[in-house]
Amino acid sequence: MADEPVRNNDATEIANAVVIAITGVIAAIGSYQGSLWEGQQATAYSRSNSLRTESNRAADHADTMKAAEAAVFSAWLNARATGDTRLADFYARRFPPDLQHAFNDWINQEPLTNPAAPLTPFLTPSYRPAGPALAAELDRKAAEVFEEGQRANHVSDAFAQGGTILSLSLFFAGIAQVFRRRRVRVTLLFMAILACALGAIRVFTLPMITIMNQGG
C-alpha cells in the first residue's frame, strides 16, 4: 500500500516541534557549560604558568643563596686557616639561616680534629635549605594545576561532542518537515529522537559548573 501523505497539523509535526525545542534547550545548556569549562581551562593553564615561573624564580634564588653560603663559608675557612679568629667569628655570625644551624652542628662535631665529622656543614643532615624545597613544591603544584586544565579541556571537548550529536537531531527534525510522506517523516523523526537522546546522555553525564562553583 502506498505511503499516505501527511495532513496539516499531523502528529509528526507536533512531535518534530517538541524534539526541536527539547534539543535546542539541551544544546544551549551544553554550549554554556562548554564555554565555562573553556574558561576553567584557560584559568588553570595561566595559574600553572605562574606557578612554574615562581618555581623557577625560587630555584634561581636557591642557587644564588647556595653560592653565597659557599663563598662565606670559604671566607670563614681562610680566616680560620690564617689564625684570624676575629675575622672568622665575624663571618660565622653572618652565615645565612639555612647554613647557621648546620654550621653549629658541624662545629659541635669538632671537624678539625674528628675524622668522622662531615667535611663541610653542607654535608650534615641538618643542612636543609628551604629554597630547593620551595621550588619543588611550587613545581608540584604547577603540575597539579596543569592537570586540572587538561581535565577541563577534555570536559569542554566532550560538551562540544554532545553539541555535535544534538545538531544532528536538529537536522533530522528540521528536514523531516520538508517531506510530505508519513513514512519518511516518521523515520527522520525517529532518527532525530535517537540523536537527541544520545546527545542528552552525553551532556547530562558530564560534570557541570554551577554559578556557586564558579564564584568559589
Side-chain angles (χ1 to χ4, degrees):
M1 184 175 66
D3 191 14
E4 296 180 0
V6 177
R7 299 186 300 273
N8 291 335
N9 299 323
D10 186 81
T12 57
E13 292 183 354
I14 299 175
N16 267 334
V18 172
V19 170
I20 290 173
I22 293 175
T23 303
V25 170
I26 299 173
I29 294 173
S31 176
Y32 175 66
Q33 286 294 320
S35 65
L36 290 181
W37 280 103
E38 285 181 358
Q40 291 283 85
Q41 171 193 343
T43 300
Y45 285 159
S46 176
R47 185 169 170 232
S48 176
N49 289 335
S50 177
L51 287 169
R52 294 283 188 194
T53 301
E54 291 183 30
S55 175
N56 292 335
R57 187 181 298 118
D60 291 341
H61 179 71
D63 291 340
T64 301
M65 287 301 299
K66 191 170 183 179
E69 290 170 350
V72 72
F73 178 69
S74 178
W76 176 86
L77 281 178
N78 290 334
R80 187 62 182 264
T82 58
D84 193 342
T85 56
R86 184 177 179 181
L87 183 60
D89 292 341
F90 173 84
Y91 286 125
R93 288 193 301 270
R94 285 159 178 76
F95 284 152
D98 290 337
L99 177 59
Q100 187 69 62
H101 182 60
F103 176 79
N104 293 337
D105 289 347
W106 182 68
I107 286 295
N108 290 334
Q109 298 181 53
E110 300 179 352
L112 300 180
T113 58
N114 180 13
L119 294 178
T120 70
F122 302 105
L123 300 178
T124 60
S126 56
Y127 181 69
R128 293 190 295 269
L134 176 61
E137 177 64 15
L138 289 171
D139 189 67
R140 183 189 65 81
K141 288 182 179 180
E144 288 182 356
V145 174
F146 182 81
E147 286 300 319
E148 292 176 7
Q150 290 288 82
R151 176 176 177 271
N153 180 46
H154 294 325
V155 175
S156 176
D157 289 345
F159 273 113
Q161 184 184 56
T164 301
I165 298 173
L166 291 169
S167 67
L168 290 176
S169 175
L170 292 173
F171 170 76
F172 289 131
I175 199 173
Q177 301 180 31
V178 176
F179 296 92
R180 304 305 304 167
R181 294 295 176 181
R182 182 183 302 276
R183 184 176 300 171
V184 177
R185 277 201 169 190
V186 170
T187 299
L188 291 173
L189 177 60
F190 173 78
M191 295 175 68
I193 293 173
L194 179 60
C196 179
L198 293 175
I201 291 172
R202 186 56 172 155
V203 168
F204 291 118
T205 54
L206 292 171
M208 294 195 179
I209 301 175
T210 65
I211 296 178
M212 291 182 63
N213 292 146
Q214 193 178 25

